[in-house]
Amino acid sequence: MSIELLLIALWLGILPKSHRFALRYAISSLSKIKIVDVRDNVFSAKSFDYDLLLKYIEKQVKEAHVKRLVIDSITAIAFSIQNPSHIRQFIFDLGKILATLGCTTVLTSEV
């Protein structure tokens, strides 16, 4: 079974664990939507490795045959990357990976 939409979210971490589970279950049971909170899988308290995040996203897209991806939010990822030149490189690498996989992507941003 392929996933129609994969939501990579950083904001789920602010919700209590019981609410996160309920939200994931409610949305996933309605359609072919999967929500992944990357704070549970990629972020650590001490450092952030954007290469690890790229590999994680690529793995999720490949394994689930994702056609559409939403990353909420690119701003939160950018704030986690210390070097401004690495932010540009991350976005370029992300676009390159997802283009080769044929995955349509929407990035949200806070202003």
Side-chain angles (χ1 to χ4, degrees):
M1 176 174 90
S2 66
I3 300 293
E4 293 292 326
L5 176 71
L6 174 64
L7 172 61
I8 302 289
L10 285 89
W11 51 267
L12 289 176
I14 63 172
L15 297 174
K17 284 197 181 268
S18 60
H19 289 87
R20 282 186 255 168
F21 175 77
L23 178 64
R24 286 183 189 137
Y25 179 78
I27 292 175
S28 297
S29 65
L30 294 174
S31 60
K32 296 180 179 181
I33 298 175
K34 180 177 181 180
I35 299 175
V36 176
D37 184 354
V38 293
R39 287 207 259 195
D40 294 341
N41 303 300
V42 176
F43 285 84
S44 71
K46 295 183 181 178
S47 66
F48 170 72
D49 182 358
Y50 74 87
D51 286 325
L52 181 63
L53 178 58
L54 287 171
K55 289 175 186 170
Y56 181 80
I57 292 171
E58 182 177 19
K59 179 182 173 201
Q60 291 289 318
V61 169
K62 282 181 178 177
E63 286 180 356
H65 307 287
V66 174
K67 297 173 185 162
R68 290 179 236 13
L69 170 69
V70 176
I71 298 179
D72 184 17
S73 76
I74 196 67
T75 308
I77 294 171
F79 279 130
S80 300
I81 300 173
Q82 300 299 318
N83 187 330
S85 66
H86 291 165
I87 297 168
R88 182 181 172 98
Q89 188 64 47
F90 170 80
I91 295 171
F92 176 78
D93 292 343
L94 178 66
K96 188 168 57 172
I97 289 168
L98 295 171
T100 61
L101 295 173
C103 183
T104 302
T105 305
V106 174
L107 305 174
T108 67
S109 177
E110 297 99 23
V111 183

